[in-house]
Amino acid sequence: MNAPEVNPHSGALEADGLVVEFTTRSGDIARALDGVDVIVRPGEVLALVGESGSGKTTLARTMLGLERPTAGEVRFDGTPLNYSISGLRALRRRVQMVLQDASSSLNPRHTVYDSVAEGLRLHGLDTSDPQGRTEAEQVAAALASAGLRPPESLFLRYPYELSGGQRQRVLIAGALALQPELLIADEPVSSLDASIRGEILALLLKLRDQMGLGVLVVTHDLGLAWNIADRIAVMYLGRVVESGPTEEVLARPKHPYTQALLSVVPEIDELAPVVLTGEIPDPTRIPGGCRFHPRCPALQGGFAEAVGVATMCTTVDLPLIPPDVDGHHVACHLPQRVATEDLADV
Ligand code: SF4
């Protein structure tokens, strides 16, 4: 008997050709996302990485329905997002966001119990859930899943009485209370001490493994992505410029931007630090050709010229990277001329 076919879209959150534009105060059109395809599947962690201004937070917000794309679409479970109030409410039950700074995200006047119960009440689940549990039982289960035990001992505590790690766990518990299928975590540990970061990352991995949660992590920290993500998408100026399985991309990066970001990760000391010149350009003025060319060390250092791609770098745009879950893709002209093993020396 043939094995039943697995639907690759089942439970997956997908961005398909997303473009997000907005008009600046001076009337210019800024393109915050410029054709992005990614997919997050149940039971896996996808990290979106890049500097501030790369578009990663806009992508996460758009995938959560908080921004409406100018073109392209977001699909969950194979169905395009429904932007009506009821459609977005239904999405929120299944896809929850974990905010980055628990200190400012938790209401200081709300007890832990009320903070975690808030989402349940908002969704009309205050009396019972599909399994017949009371609100208190759901809150206790969410706190326990977030590693806060015994949960009842925290019910009446206020945020100021908790450590930074406990506050972050309360935020995660608030997201878990609705029993979502997917979490979107924006810089989930950036406001925490190094000693607590590992605990919160381990918790996200436990939720992936034990509950089959899909997790989209937004981070500027490649070291963090290496520790937690199954797959990675490196973003620059509104596009994914390199993506693939984390180990493959970070052990053998092909894009000069990924190489530069990796070279300044403190835990990796075998790479000479590459300091990128300038800032990410204004999204109202995306450079022609390869959008990274004004800052590219391979172009500035003459390597692109030496292998004959320098003119293409400044004049020929690169194809969009597909949301392929297995392949290692890169948006750069160099790999057409240079063997993969030699790209690490660029
Ligand atoms: Fe650098 Fe050229 Fe590759 Fe762009 S295409 S990243 S400018 S080498």
Side-chain angles (χ1 to χ4, degrees), residues 236-285:
Y236 185 79
L237 199 52
R239 285 236 179 121
V240 175
V241 295
E242 185 158 17
S243 71
T246 305
E247 195 59 38
E248 166 67 23
V249 170
L250 298 186
R252 283 172 288 281
K254 296 179 183 176
H255 199 287
Y257 181 57
T258 313
Q259 291 166 355
L261 293 181
L262 262 177
S263 76
V264 293
V265 173
E267 297 87 3
I268 306 171
D269 48 16
E270 68 259 30
L271 298 174
V274 177
V275 179
L276 291 174
T277 52
E279 305 277 319
I280 288 192
D282 183 335
T284 60
R285 291 179 189 80

Side-chain angles (χ1 to χ4, degrees), residues 14-288:
E14 300 169 79
D16 184 358
L18 280 194
V19 174
V20 171
E21 291 178 341
F22 58 89
T23 307
T24 65
R25 277 195 204 144
S26 50
D28 294 322
I29 302 292
R31 204 162 245 232
L33 294 181
D34 192 16
V36 174
D37 293 345
V38 291
I39 179 167
V40 197
R41 296 177 304 175
E44 72 165 13
V45 179
L46 170 69
L48 290 179
V49 301
E51 297 166 285
S52 166
S54 60
K56 58 191 191 303
T57 296
T58 304
L59 177 57
R61 287 176 56 80
T62 310
M63 291 181 81
L64 199 62
L66 296 172
E67 307 278 350
R68 216 164 162 153
T70 312
E73 68 180 12
V74 179
R75 290 187 293 271
F76 181 57
D77 216 9
T79 307
L81 293 200
N82 170 347
Y83 290 91
S84 68
I85 292 173
S86 60
L88 290 176
R89 259 171 86 101
L91 178 73
R92 287 295 177 280
R93 279 219 57 190
R94 302 178 69 186
V95 181
Q96 277 281 303
M97 180 119 183
V98 177
L99 296 166
Q100 57 177 282
D101 185 356
S103 304
S104 58
S105 304
L106 287 172
N107 186 326
R109 286 185 288 278
H110 283 183
T111 61
V112 166
Y113 183 95
D114 284 333
S115 294
V116 176
E118 192 179 356
L120 295 171
R121 292 170 184 165
L122 221 64
H123 286 269
L125 299 174
D126 53 333
T127 48
S128 66
D129 73 349
Q131 293 136 33
R133 298 176 304 172
T134 64
E135 180 186 275
E137 286 169 339
Q138 293 173 73
V139 171
L143 286 168
S145 296
L148 292 164
R149 295 166 197 266
E152 290 80 4
S153 68
L154 287 144
F155 275 6
L156 299 179
R157 306 268 286 275
Y158 286 90
Y160 77 88
E161 298 177 283
L162 307 175
S163 67
Q166 285 176 317
R167 284 196 288 265
Q168 194 64 20
R169 286 175 190 269
V170 171
L171 272 189
I172 293 172
L176 294 178
L178 289 164
Q179 301 185 64
E181 293 153 57
L182 214 130
L183 289 183
I184 294 182
D186 188 1
E187 302 282 4
V189 296
S190 63
S191 62
L192 300 175
D193 290 344
S195 58
I196 305 163
R197 287 180 185 199
E199 287 177 27
I200 299 295
L201 296 180
L203 170 62
L204 291 175
L205 288 177
K206 194 170 129 199
L207 295 172
R208 176 199 67 181
D209 295 339
Q210 293 186 349
M211 300 168 75
L213 274 181
V215 185
L216 177 66
V217 174
V218 177
T219 181
H220 66 282
D221 181 346
L222 257 75
L224 181 154
W226 207 331
N227 282 323
I228 192 174
D230 300 296
R231 288 187 300 113
I232 191 166
V234 181
M235 293 193 67
Y236 185 79
L237 199 52
R239 285 236 179 121
V240 175
V241 295
E242 185 158 17
S243 71
T246 305
E247 195 59 38
E248 166 67 23
V249 170
L250 298 186
R252 283 172 288 281
K254 296 179 183 176
H255 199 287
Y257 181 57
T258 313
Q259 291 166 355
L261 293 181
L262 262 177
S263 76
V264 293
V265 173
E267 297 87 3
I268 306 171
D269 48 16
E270 68 259 30
L271 298 174
V274 177
V275 179
L276 291 174
T277 52
E279 305 277 319
I280 288 192
D282 183 335
T284 60
R285 291 179 189 80
I286 293 175

Side-chain angles (χ1 to χ4, degrees), residues 254-257 289-299 303-304 309-310 312-314 316 318 331-335 346:
K254 296 179 183 176
H255 199 287
Y257 181 57
C290 166
R291 61 193 54 213
F292 184 57
H293 87 256
R295 301 175 76 202
C296 178
L299 186 61
F303 187 82
V309 298
M312 289 168 74
C313 290
T314 54
V316 180
L318 288 132
C332 170
H333 295 301
L334 283 177
V346 171

